[in-house]
Amino acid sequence: MRLLLARVLLPIVHRGSRQCTGGTQKEIRVRFAPSPTGFLHLGGLRTALYNYLFAKKHGGAFILRLEDTDRSRLVPGAAEAIEDMLEWAGIPPDESPRQGGPYGPYEQSQRLNFYQEAVQALLESGAAYRCFCTPQRLELIKKEALRRGEMPRYDNRCRHLTSSQVQEKLSKNLPFVVRFQLPSGAHSFQDLVYGWTHHDLASVEGDPVILKGDGFPTYHLANVVDDHKMAVSHVLRGEEWLISTTKHLLLYRALGWQPPIYAHLPLLLNKDGSKLSKRQGDIFIQHFVQRGYLSDTLLDVITNCGSGFAGNQIGRTLPELIEQYNLQSTVTHSALLDLDKLPEFNRVHLARRIEGTDTRAQLVAQLQPLLLEKYKDLMFDKEYIERILVLRKGHLNVLTDLLSPNYSYLWVRPSVQQEDLHQLSSEASEIGSLVVQILQNRQSDIGLELLSKELKSHLQRLEATNYSTSMKLLRLVLSGLESGPSVAEMMLSLGPEESIIRLQKALSS
Ligand code: GLU
């Protein structure tokens, strides 16, 4: 299989001798073609990502085309939001409604002239015909078929209209659609993922509508015309379209065009094998953005459930995904999405961003206004936030965890009851002055490990208070919490001055 794919893929990858108006460079061109009938969800993001990876891997172009011909199902704002989300995810299209490009427009509703042209050519060659059947007749055919327990299909009646009958109906201004005449017999094609597929469409389907009564094309025609006109070299799309590909190839043949190469991608399913449903609010990308997940996390999670990579591995960033992606590693079984792993994935990616100087600065810039909003007039300087991020690296699920009550001690002083402290230990004030001394004497760049050791060696010498109780007491003083980060980490986060203030305030008496 691998060898076979290599043979099919390689000549095409290097062939691609289509010309772009910008030059004569050989090009791989792929497209993501969502309908703006809803917002981008994980399944869509995955299809877009695989197209992006394929384009970037082969130095090609990634196109966003909006398939907005089903006017009744358009959702206001969805088109804009889809492109926003691709940009947010770090996989912006090279050509799109927003970016423009040499093959525009990139919304199907703006390309009606191209479809009209193709329909005209098909009508002239006899590959398509006008159908004047009324909705009532079509409904009747459907009912009859269902009554007989058969799949409803159009009976191709208008195929047989003579040209004078057609002219007569046209002169009466009767409404019509245009249908494509399905050639009989089985047709085969080779999909890069699913291998050879055979379909005898004419034996199971009536002739499909390619141009609707409102002058808009149906998906099948528009898809073919645009992939051709936009010089798309490879179509990487969801497996649900595999069944339609024969129809598309027949249209290419009837139009005398060379088709692109097809690679269908297995579906992304829920962990329990059920379909991702748009009614599941938690699959939309905006939902994850709002919950503070990083784009790297989403890209990693949707590629970690099989297909396109030699193995699963947590923590891959986009450049690593591009480098390691291989279309030939796409398997045909569905990918199961495990959203329970999101926090774990995000922890890893957040840690990676904390490690990078630039990405860390971006995190600080994101956090500052949120802190300001929550803690009103308090100002937190960049260095302070950076220090906290570095110390908490690997412990935060999302950046906004730092706004939760558990971390409020970092931004406001806790109120601690004296009685609680003295109840914990009769040596509370000794502990306080001992630790203040350690902090006053310590080197300014003491690390976490050294500070922990120092605390331990001094506090273990106390007579009446065991070490873990001392820690409990100190944690309470510094943060008002009974559990949380280590005392040494809290001290390093707050800095010596603030730690000393808190210790002296609570433990001076
Ligand atoms: N508009 C179709 C969809 O939303 C595109 C299918 C294709 O990529 O050909 O899935």
Side-chain angles (χ1 to χ4, degrees):
M1 185 68 165
R2 236 158 229 276
L3 249 181
L4 182 85
L5 283 180
R7 248 184 285 136
V8 179
L9 184 64
L10 284 177
I12 288 140
V13 167
H14 296 295
R15 184 202 64 183
S17 55
R18 296 163 196 271
Q19 299 197 350
C20 170
T21 49
T24 54
Q25 243 185 326
K26 296 181 175 184
E27 234 188 334
I28 291 291
R29 293 175 54 80
V30 290
R31 86 304 189 270
F32 173 49
S35 302
T37 51
F39 293 89
L40 190 65
H41 57 77
L42 287 175
L45 181 67
R46 187 163 180 265
T47 305
L49 175 62
Y50 280 127
N51 275 282
Y52 179 89
L53 296 178
F54 188 74
K56 299 301 150 184
K57 181 101 197 175
H58 299 294
F62 169 54
I63 304 159
L64 170 67
R65 179 175 75 225
L66 294 174
E67 302 208 331
D68 59 350
T69 56
D70 190 349
R71 310 302 289 168
S72 61
R73 291 179 54 227
L74 296 185
V75 169
E80 280 285 302
I82 289 172
E83 197 158 354
D84 286 346
M85 286 298 109
L86 292 180
E87 286 171 10
W88 173 83
I91 54 170
D94 300 306
E95 297 169 29
S96 70
R98 192 175 290 169
Q99 294 292 327
Y103 296 90
Y106 292 88
E107 291 110 322
Q108 289 189 328
S109 56
Q110 311 289 314
R111 300 174 62 82
L112 299 186
N113 53 324
F114 292 122
Y115 315 128
Q116 289 288 352
E117 236 171 65
V119 166
Q120 211 45 48
L122 292 170
L123 284 171
E124 276 165 24
S125 70
Y129 60 89
R130 292 182 182 83
C131 168
F132 296 90
C133 290
T134 59
Q136 291 79 354
R137 176 166 193 273
L138 297 175
E139 192 53 33
L140 207 68
I141 296 176
K142 196 169 157 186
K143 275 197 185 138
E144 285 287 302
L146 292 175
R147 197 177 49 78
R148 291 193 303 269
E150 289 169 11
M151 277 292 280
R153 55 188 277 197
Y154 177 57
D155 61 0
N156 300 345
R157 182 162 93 167
C158 290
R159 247 197 208 194
H160 311 292
L161 292 175
T162 63
S163 59
S164 59
Q165 282 171 317
V166 170
Q167 285 317 318
E168 190 202 323
K169 288 178 190 292
L170 284 177
S171 67
K172 285 189 195 153
N173 268 335
L174 290 184
F176 66 88
V177 298
V178 177
R179 291 184 185 267
F180 176 58
Q181 189 164 326
L182 287 177
S184 55
H187 301 272
S188 319
F189 73 95
Q190 193 180 20
D191 183 86
L192 285 188
V193 173
Y194 286 80
W196 283 101
T197 307
H198 312 268
H199 275 132
D200 181 358
L201 281 183
S203 71
V204 286
E205 276 186 39
D207 291 336
V209 174
I210 53 173
L211 195 73
K212 295 180 281 185
D214 60 4
F216 275 80
T218 56
Y219 157 71
H220 301 295
L221 178 75
N223 193 263
V224 164
V225 170
D226 288 341
D227 284 344
H228 173 73
K229 297 269 180 204
M230 292 181 173
V232 167
S233 64
H234 292 71
V235 170
L236 274 59
R237 63 183 173 194
E239 181 252 7
E240 69 269 34
W241 299 108
L242 184 64
I243 188 92
S244 303
T245 307
T246 304
K247 202 174 288 168
H248 299 167
L249 289 168
L250 291 171
L251 277 165
Y252 275 102
R253 199 173 72 181
L255 286 160
W257 296 338
Q258 198 195 349
I261 305 296
Y262 288 91
H264 286 84
L265 307 168
L267 290 182
L268 184 63
L269 302 176
N270 288 312
K271 198 165 66 170
D272 62 4
S274 61
K275 270 194 159 185
L276 294 187
S277 151
K278 290 186 185 171
R279 267 159 302 192
Q280 262 171 276
D282 63 355
I283 60 164
F284 290 99
I285 308 306
Q286 264 146 335
H287 168 83
F288 298 104
V289 178
Q290 279 156 11
R291 281 168 63 202
Y293 288 112
L294 297 167
S295 56
D296 290 340
T297 300
L298 292 195
L299 301 185
D300 199 10
V301 157
I302 57 178
T303 46
N304 232 281
C305 37
S307 274
F309 297 90
N312 288 342
Q313 166 202 322
I314 182 166
R316 276 189 283 236
T317 57
L318 189 55
E320 290 159 354
L321 288 174
I322 296 173
E323 199 193 309
Q324 295 174 30
Y325 175 67
N326 183 358
L327 178 65
Q328 293 174 58
S329 303
T330 309
V331 290
T332 54
H333 59 74
S334 306
L336 300 184
L337 181 67
D338 190 353
L339 287 181
D340 294 340
K341 289 199 182 139
L342 268 182
E344 182 190 346
F345 273 75
N346 208 64
R347 248 188 340 262
V348 172
H349 284 286
L350 190 54
R352 289 193 73 160
R353 291 209 186 180
I354 291 172
E355 276 160 21
T357 318
D358 291 345
T359 42
R360 185 166 62 241
Q362 285 161 9
L363 295 174
V364 173
Q366 269 172 44
L367 203 57
Q368 263 174 328
L370 300 177
L371 285 169
L372 208 60
E373 196 188 315
K374 184 162 171 125
Y375 296 104
K376 300 300 172 221
D377 44 348
L378 294 179
M379 291 292 288
F380 305 104
D381 67 31
K382 200 169 147 292
E383 288 71 28
Y384 180 62
I385 302 175
E386 282 210 11
R387 188 167 77 222
I388 286 161
L389 286 177
V390 171
L391 284 162
R392 279 280 80 195
K393 192 183 83 175
H395 297 285
L396 299 170
N397 285 344
V398 292
L399 184 65
T400 46
D401 279 353
L402 286 174
L403 297 170
S404 72
N406 280 350
Y407 288 110
S408 67
Y409 73 91
L410 291 167
W411 324 111
V412 282
R413 285 184 188 146
S415 64
V416 187
Q417 301 300 319
Q418 293 277 327
E419 306 89 80
D420 293 347
L421 304 175
H422 291 284
Q423 230 171 44
L424 266 176
S425 165
S426 55
E427 293 170 307
S429 354
E430 285 94 318
I431 295 173
S433 37
L434 197 62
V435 176
V436 166
Q437 248 175 48
I438 297 173
L439 288 172
Q440 278 166 344
N441 296 338
R442 78 168 175 79
Q443 302 284 319
S444 60
D445 59 350
I446 192 170
L448 198 58
E449 222 173 296
L450 262 175
L451 181 59
S452 306
K453 267 194 194 149
E454 212 167 311
L455 285 171
K456 197 163 192 169
S457 70
H458 284 82
L459 292 168
Q460 267 174 340
R461 286 193 223 128
L462 288 170
E463 289 196 350
T465 319
N466 67 26
Y467 175 67
S468 74
T469 308
S470 303
M471 288 296 125
K472 214 168 174 181
L473 180 125
L474 288 169
R475 185 176 289 113
L476 204 58
V477 168
L478 293 167
S479 66
L481 300 173
E482 287 186 8
S483 59
S486 71
V487 167
E489 185 189 319
M490 283 182 170
M491 286 173 175
L492 289 185
S493 302
L494 295 168
E497 293 80 13
E498 177 62 21
S499 303
I500 290 172
I501 292 172
R502 292 187 188 190
L503 289 164
Q504 285 177 336
K505 243 181 92 190
L507 298 169
S508 54
S509 52

